[in-house]
Amino acid sequence: MIAVIVVREGQLPAGAAECVAEAGGRAIVIGTEVHSVELSGALTLVEAGPFGPAAYAALLAGRLVDEPVILPASPDGRDLAPRLAALLGWPLLAPALAVGVHSVQVVRQNGRILEEVAVDGPFVATLLPGVRGVGAADSMARDSEPVVARESQPMAAPGREPMAVRGSDARGPSAATPNDPELIALLPPDPSTMSLVEATRIVAGGQGLGSTVRFEQLGRIGAALGASLGGTRVASDAGWIPFERQIGTTGVAVNPRVYLAFAISGATQHTSGLGDPAHIIAVNTDASCPMMAMADIAIVSDAKAVLDALERQLSA
Amino acid sequence: MGRYRYLFSPLRIGPVTVRNRVIFSAHLTNYAEDGLATEQHAAYYEARAAGGAGLIITEEHSTHPTDWPYEKLIHGFHRKVIPGYRRITDAVHRHGTPIFAQINHNGGQASSMYSRLPVWAPSAVPDPLFREVPKAVTVREIAEIVAGYALVAGHCREGGFDGVELQCSHSSIVRGFLSGATNLRRDQYGGSLANRARILIEIVRAVREAIGPGLALGVRLCGDELIEGGTTIDEAVEVAKMVEATGQVDYINTSIGVATATLYVIEASMHVPPGYALFIPNAIRRAVSIPVVGVGRFKDALQAERALAEGHCDLVGAVRAQIADPDFVRKAQAGAHEDTRLCLSCNQECVGRMGLNRWLGCIENPRTGREALVPAVPSRSPVPKKVLVVGAGPAGMQAAISAASHGHEVTVYERDDEVGGQVRWAASVPNRAELGDVLRNQQRELVAHGVKLCLGHGVDAGFVTAQKPDVVIVATGAAPARPYWAPGDASTIVDVLDVLTGSAWPPAGARVVIVDELGFHQATSVAEVLADRGCSVEILTNGMVVAQDLGITLDMENFLTRAAAKSIILTTDSVVMGWNGTHLSVLHHVSNTMHELATDWVVLAVAPRAADELYFELLAQGVTVHRVGDCVAPRRIHAAVIEGDRIGAAL
Amino acid sequence: MPDFEVVVVGAGPAGSIAALSLARLGHSVCLLERGPFPGSKNVYGGVIYGRILDELIPHWWEHAPVQRWITRRGTMLLTDHQSLCIDYRSTAWAQAPYNGATAYRPDFDKWLADEAVKAGATLVSSTTATGLVRTNRGLVGGVKTDREGDLMANVVIACDGVNSFLAKEAGLYPNFSKDHLTLGVKEVLALPRQEIEARFGIRSGTNEGADLEIVGGTQGIAGGGFVYTNLDTISIGAVLSLGGLSASKVRPEEVIAGLKAHPSLAPLVDGAELKEYSAHLIPEGGFDAMPEVVGDGLLVAGDAAGLCLAAGLWLEGVNYAIGSGKCAADAVHEAIAKGNFSKAGLVSYKDRLEATFVLRNHRKTRKAAHLLLSDRLQNRYPQIACDLLEQLYTVEDPLPKRGALTIGRALWKGSGLRIRHALRDGRDALKIYG
Amino acid sequence: MKIAACIKWVALRPDIDPLSGSVETDDRFSGVSAADQAAVEWALRMGEAWGASVTVATVGASIAESALRDALACGATTAIRIDIEHPLPSAAVGRELAAALADADLIVCGDWSLDRGSGSVPPFLAHARGAEQACGLVALSLDATGVVRAERRLDGGRRERLIVRAPAVLAVEGSTARLRRAPLGGVLSSARSSIDVRTPSTPNPAEPVRLVHARPFRPRTKIVDGPHGSVRDRSNALLGMGSTRTPPQRLVLDPEVAAEHILAALHAWGEIDDPASAEGQ
Ligand SMILES: Cc1cc2nc3c(=O)[nH]c(=O)nc-3n(C[C@H](O)[C@H](O)[C@H](O)COP(=O)(O)OP(=O)(O)OC[C@H]3O[C@@H](n4cnc5c(N)ncnc54)[C@H](O)[C@@H]3O)c2cc1C
Ligand SMILES: Cc1cc2nc3c(=O)[nH]c(=O)nc-3n(C[C@H](O)[C@H](O)[C@H](O)COP(=O)(O)OP(=O)(O)OC[C@H]3O[C@@H](n4cnc5c(N)ncnc54)[C@H](O)[C@@H]3O)c2cc1C
Ligand SMILES: Cc1cc2nc3c(=O)[nH]c(=O)nc-3n(C[C@H](O)[C@H](O)[C@H](O)COP(=O)(O)OP(=O)(O)OC[C@H]3O[C@@H](n4cnc5c(N)ncnc54)[C@H](O)[C@@H]3O)c2cc1C
Ligand SMILES: Cc1cc2nc3c(=O)[nH]c(=O)nc-3n(C[C@H](O)[C@H](O)[C@H](O)COP(=O)(O)O)c2cc1C
Ligand code: SF4
Ligand code: SF4
């Protein structure tokens, strides 16, 4: 089994490491700035042009021979997998919960049914990100094999020129002319709109901030720091933040690297949703509240004034 | 279904179907009398069944007369137990809830005190707690043990149980066999893992034969004993595979630690992060396909849901969560999270009372263990009274809740801007926030019962009488006291509360001596706060152990570890005799020697005095007045809650 | 040129039968329904009395989607801790033509509407009538909908259920009052089939069922309750006066919770899993609260016309809806023949209602609502009846037994009730039920 | 110019037995997903913008015609149903649609179906048609005839902006558009419209896959590694004493100083470049 990982500007898609682990450590990493990915295993790095499912499929089809291929069910993986399957004439099994050489568990009915499928011969599968995890045993298995080849694949801009393709698709009427849309921009994540679950930095506020205006200010500061905005239940109940920004047992469970808590008391129902941040900064007038007790840096100060100062200093 | 995709979905456990994934997992209750289950058991389990538990597993039933480690054990091997079993299973079945019995032989983790028979174990390795050298069992005795399990399993079947769980984890002769630390045998029951697991497989076969195919059979395994040479996760996974391979077991329950060595990881207190033990079901579930149970500090439905969603386990055991609130499941399912009386993981009245040989209770639920005596819905008083409560600590709040739930009209006056009294501060230190949930729980109930709460409103006798209440309940708590050697004006001799409220601020680098006469969290909490701040801290106690009562709540081990990491000095057997402004004179009473101890600050964790002035003033004026909690005599939260609860019913 | 001869608004039982009858009579008819399919949003207790269908759909019982045939009917009086039940069972009801049946409305209403479609009606669902269109002669000549474009017809039959928006717009509800409405709330609870049969004493493996009507047990709010058995669910609910409900500050779901906890109902529902909760208004004002049912180009039928009979022993509406739908169809048929769609042309509708059980029953029971919602009937009489039986059944040796009359007299005295009132209530009851 | 939309008839509220995994569907609670509805709406908008005809197509049983009629009621020009008794694999569905819509320039699909959820029909269709594909679209704008500017969702909150030119297959998320409400006239006339029913063009090839069983979903165990090392190490790790959090500092600071301190700390932890001119990386 081998994993195929599409990389954009060196950024791995969700579920990349899981896919490689599921494939037993072998992977083709294809995309742009592939040399900078942080992924261990026996990797073949293929530097290619900007992502285009048809072009990438054509490029890859020739390298994949008689062994199952597994891609993360991330946007690019989902796009590429059917194209690959069609070119190779192999069955597609997607989205999968677990992938074995002869048996795949496919998820159906919006995650309520699991179909166990037996398959003879090679296939293409996509693996749902986040369901597998990667353990110590996986990296041991991988490190025992050497990391291999880096290659650069000269590739025309996703284009209209026909490309010679090795494959066995008899039915695709025009499989030999892979066309892809034209990529005009890659937009970075917007911390203010991205899901809190994915955020690596979070600025959050509590009851002590007291108004929508303050949360808007906190949001701006967050944007300047590349951090997403969150808050306590008090804040979401009051309507200062939307519900999907509430962190805690009855809100979302987050897992940021850095957490900044402004005027949050740190009730268990809030902190239980915090994950395990490497760093916590708390600003609170009450030196002895649990949030301050949890923080690496606990600053006793008026949170509103600190926000004003932060905004000034960040715009200076 | 809402936010719960898995928690409330049914599951088949062999022949039994559970309606949700929450198990009231096995735990001692000390409700037994003369080796038999009681009405107290039946009512206790029934309350959890009515509260929505998906499955109940009873406390252990002993399988053999050589097994009697504590007084109030159910002697499952007597046929006499069957009527009691029936009473329990009928009560639980009334609510459509299945119930399994846990059966066990504690092996070497016992003393001969009660049984006056030698303790049996695989090898003559004394238990670290009981320190008694057991008798290494013979092969014939092993057969007797196996037969004992089968006998008791048969009793369980006759008693109406839906299944049987073999306790092979933290306190069991089977654990003793499985563990390399306690099994030194060289026959077919020792040596290789397969040999060490032989007795378990034999028991599985015998029990399955005794119960037939209609009952479920489960095995509870320990994933990491956390003792030198003990079972670790890899071995546990292997054993789980062997268990599954018998084809006769329907689920695997998990646990961690050894009850007589590392109990603090089994019934972990609030210092231990939730989800700490999930790696065990996780590893086992990856290796077997029968349902696996995860246990350990599940106190929130969503947390449980997440564990299920990530596949760490198929079911969760939530023990203390349901000790504290029997309706935990029902409330979660109804979305009434707010109404849940969250367990604090304080271990004071559940685990704590087990250690003291008393029946199981809960610090914040006075009805726990008294379900058969106290109706679930309080009766309304025929003559509603106007009740005035002074003080919104745990005592005052509980009194108000209780009075209001009996139909009285209640107003609470509190001097501070927030409720909670001393508890607010007790909970304000690292890792103790959960203690504060008792206040949240109570405050929520106050609101639900329509109690009027006046914060920031200290009252005196004049004010109280002017309100013309029918009854006054004084719950003014305790106030710090100073020992004779501490001058009243010495500003560097302060109380623990002064440090927690911030009214005294020993700065980083200061030398601080904490004088501990209470032996509980007061001294240790403050010591940690100050050590974190950068003070050099020493706790001085007249007792033989610093913070002795942390042992009861299973906080001792982790406190000692943290104290060592934070360089907190622990000094025992020492009595302060005087202070000269820079030094304390300390008597080491064991050696009867004096020495001087230089210090910048002295923090007192000494017995406070009851703040009872208001009570006596009102009494003198002929007002109908009662008092509850620390203002009767300074004690702990459980006393405050129980007294508060009683007074409401008695008005 | 109208789109259809007739537009029927609302594919409940009234509307579907009106459309079915008209289509059978050869008219072009459009059946408009706001839900995604007929019955999708309709709420009721659970029992349908189907005899009215005998003629319209011969052998309907072989086709209708029925849960269980009612073979057991009970009326229960509840106090805090007591209950008194009159329990009637008949195996005669277990055979065609059957007396009553439990059915789910999404099944039953869809089936009826499908029958109408089979007969030639055009069903337009997911479409709400939002108002009336008047012809230049002032007659109702169609309806506006929440889609672009109006739906034109010679006659509109409003079968849009309780609180009819169309009837109100046409000015047919001159003195509409909230007091004529009650709130029906219900929970559907799942239990295994055999369990239901065991608990309700139903012959196992059959699709026979029970229907219990309840007086009292509604936490002092005027109203009543009911428990019906479906195949693998139980419907339990309450009908509550709106005024009483708002005065009591009790939430309707708490009333159901109270019923479920009552010692004589709890064993029936213990351990059952909640499947759904729903609430709906009921026009319970009876005969005296009925709106005008005929307008120019407009007829009103079913709940829209207030034709629901909620009178203690009975909670019936579907049969009246069907009956009135049929009458409306016949009246429209006649009007089409005459080419007169004005009020005068349609007025035979009213006579047809009068001639059938529909209005006869309502006229006879016109005092029922008043009587049933009175404190005496709700609380006092049940209490006396229960206490009487309690004392009769309690063995108090060594005290000698007392006779029923002695006990009754003592209870009556203690109750503070007046003979005068009781006599009047008795007379009213005789009128209604006698 | 010819536009097409592909929709699938699915159970919107399937009754799935959590114990056995049996799936029961009810036609009354079936229909097309929000994403498919959005696809129809986009096709109609394209048709209006570019004066093109709009075909709706489905591969499904006769019950699916009610969904086609809804689309016709909303203004679609023609409807095609490829009649099947049993569901086909996605690759075959893609091929059938490609054959039926061989002359369509732009084909809009929903991003994934509720029942299968693989999102692979659009790519298979694009492949079979030799067309461009753009899937997982969260925003679209119509450009010159046959050209669409689209924004596609990537991982971690990122997006890509694309220009898609006919022939192309687009797969849109449900949130991109709400299907318009059909006018009454449309509803009445669509009931009488005819639908072009075809039989599958190619026999369904036997795939080398075999369904072993379908069961209720059971989450996969997400691997977590337990603590390792000595007993003390493991115990410390479990008790939360293994983490390398910096020792807590408690500081009483002026707001201005506090802000400086915060920025300096974030800088020291490598979270922001320069406290003076912090920009999220
Ligand atoms: C079942 C249940 C579930 C819950 N779920 C959640 C959940 O998912 N998420 C959640 O967040 N909560 C949840 N809660 C609520 C939770 O218990 C707390 O009430 C809540 O988290 C407190 O929010 P807070 O810190 O904003 O407010 P508070 O507790 O009121 O704290 C405000 C803090 O701000 C400080 N402050 C005030 N003014 C200033 C100032 N000017 N400068 C600096 N500091 C200031 C105060 O000292 C105080 O510490 C839940 C509760 C229950 C019962
Ligand atoms: C640092 C510390 C740690 C502790 N840890 C624990 C622990 O882990 N477990 C445990 O069980 N116990 C612990 N305790 C003890 C526990 O907090 C007390 O036993 C408990 O709070 C007593 O409750 P109470 O309601 O009787 O009094 P208090 O909590 O003292 O409450 C009395 C209330 O009355 C108010 N009041 C007083 N006079 C008036 C007046 N005239 N008018 C209006 N209001 C008035 C006060 O403001 C206060 O809020 C700890 C105590 C401290 C100080
Ligand atoms: C709790 C409860 C219990 C009951 N129990 C029973 C019982 O056990 N037995 C019994 O026989 N009766 C019972 N009834 C009464 C019974 O439900 C009604 O009398 C009966 O449904 C009336 O039928 P209908 O066709 O007049 O109206 P409905 O069934 O209400 O149908 C009206 C239809 O019109 C549609 N509609 C409404 N407005 C518009 C609009 N503007 N445009 C398009 N469509 C519209 C609605 O979607 C609905 O489909 C009960 C009622 C309640 C609330
Ligand atoms: C008072 C008490 C007694 C216990 N006794 C037993 C026991 O007899 N057998 C057993 O297997 N587990 C026993 N346990 C462990 C529990 O089953 C469970 O593993 C533990 O309480 C952690 O779960 P929790 O955090 O939900 O309380 C006991 C726990 C408590 C609190
Ligand atoms: S011999 Fe018996 S009675 Fe005497 S001291 Fe010992 S235990 Fe007590
Ligand atoms: S005593 Fe404490 S730990 Fe035990 S159940 Fe009650 S709240 Fe939980």
Side-chain angles (χ1 to χ4, degrees), chain B residues 26-28 102 167 170 220 266-267 295 297 319-320:
Chain B
H27 55 285
L28 312 182
Q102 189 180 66
Q167 149 67 306
H170 40 266
R220 190 169 197 188
I266 304 173
E267 295 148 6
V295 193
R297 231 149 101 55
V319 175
R320 284 166 296 177

Side-chain angles (χ1 to χ4, degrees), chain C residues 198-261:
Chain C
R199 291 187 189 189
F200 284 83
I202 297 168
R203 287 191 295 176
S204 71
T206 66
N207 56 350
E208 296 175 14
D211 159 344
L212 306 176
E213 307 291 337
I214 298 163
V215 178
T218 45
Q219 318 210 350
I221 304 164
F226 55 83
V227 180
Y228 305 134
T229 55
N230 299 310
L231 216 48
D232 51 11
T233 61
I234 297 171
S235 300
I236 180 166
V239 174
L240 305 166
S241 93
L242 285 179
L245 193 62
S246 63
S248 73
K249 301 222 159 49
V250 178
R251 280 175 307 170
E253 58 271 28
E254 290 170 352
V255 177
I256 300 190
L259 282 175
K260 290 199 292 189

Side-chain angles (χ1 to χ4, degrees), chain B residues 425-446:
Chain B
W425 303 108
S428 73
V429 299
N431 297 322
R432 295 273 295 154
E434 286 174 51
L435 189 70
D437 279 338
V438 65
L439 308 176
R440 191 215 43 96
N441 297 341
Q442 287 183 316
Q443 204 173 354
R444 165 83 195 165
E445 288 182 28
L446 280 188

Side-chain angles (χ1 to χ4, degrees), chain A residues 61-76:
Chain A
R63 305 170 170 274
L64 302 167
V65 194
D66 284 347
E67 70 180 322
V69 180
I70 165 173
L71 297 92
S74 64
D76 289 339

Side-chain angles (χ1 to χ4, degrees), chain A residues 110-112 233 243 248-253 268-269 287-290 293, chain B residues 3 5 300 302 306 338 342 425 427-430 433-434 437 440 500 505:
Chain A
N110 218 350
R112 293 167 69 190
R233 166 103 169 242
F243 172 72
T249 42
T250 48
V252 291
T268 338
Q269 293 84 27
S288 19
C289 68
Chain B
R3 53 163 51 82
R5 183 159 197 171
D300 180 297
L302 212 66
R306 284 177 182 149
E338 313 274 297
L342 285 179
W425 303 108
S428 73
V429 299
E434 286 174 51
D437 279 338
R440 191 215 43 96
L500 295 175
W505 194 271

Side-chain angles (χ1 to χ4, degrees), chain D residues 59-220:
Chain D
V59 178
S62 59
I63 178 77
E65 286 183 12
S66 90
L68 293 177
R69 283 186 202 286
D70 287 346
L72 289 172
C74 290
T77 338
T78 47
I80 301 175
R81 179 169 70 85
I82 295 130
D83 184 44
I84 52 162
E85 241 170 88
H86 304 290
L88 295 180
S90 302
V93 173
R95 280 195 302 272
E96 290 304 332
L97 289 171
L101 302 173
D103 57 350
D105 299 290
L106 280 176
I107 305 175
V108 197
C109 306
D111 63 344
W112 58 32
S113 65
L114 295 177
D115 52 354
R116 288 180 63 83
S118 72
S120 62
V121 167
F124 278 126
L125 169 56
H127 172 83
R129 277 287 321 272
E132 296 185 4
Q133 84 187 53
C135 303
L137 301 184
V138 290
L140 289 81
S141 64
L142 308 186
D143 208 330
T145 303
V147 180
V148 177
R149 284 171 179 273
E151 207 167 291
R152 176 166 174 256
R153 183 192 296 284
L154 299 178
D155 282 318
R158 298 194 303 160
R159 304 264 199 274
E160 76 175 338
R161 246 183 224 147
L162 302 169
I163 291 181
V164 192
R165 295 185 180 82
V169 176
L170 304 155
V172 298
E173 289 192 1
S175 58
T176 51
R178 250 185 94 132
L179 180 57
R180 64 194 62 189
R181 220 160 144 61
L184 198 59
V187 173
L188 292 175
S189 68
S190 72
R192 294 183 288 268
S193 310
S194 71
I195 285 171
D196 177 1
V197 181
R198 306 184 182 178
T199 47
S201 59
T202 44
N204 182 22
E207 290 224 17
V209 293
R210 185 170 50 82
L211 179 65
V212 180
H213 55 222
R215 320 183 246 123
F217 184 76
R218 182 184 190 231
R220 180 173 184 180

Side-chain angles (χ1 to χ4, degrees), chain C residues 8 14 21-22 29 32 65 70 72 93 140 146 171 188 208 233 264 283 293 330 333 345 356 385 391:
Chain C
V8 179
S21 310
L22 282 163
V29 50
L32 205 60
I70 299 297
R72 177 182 172 198
W93 289 348
V140 171
D146 61 344
V188 178
E208 296 175 14
T233 61
S264 55
V293 293
D330 292 343
H333 179 57
T356 60
Q391 296 187 22

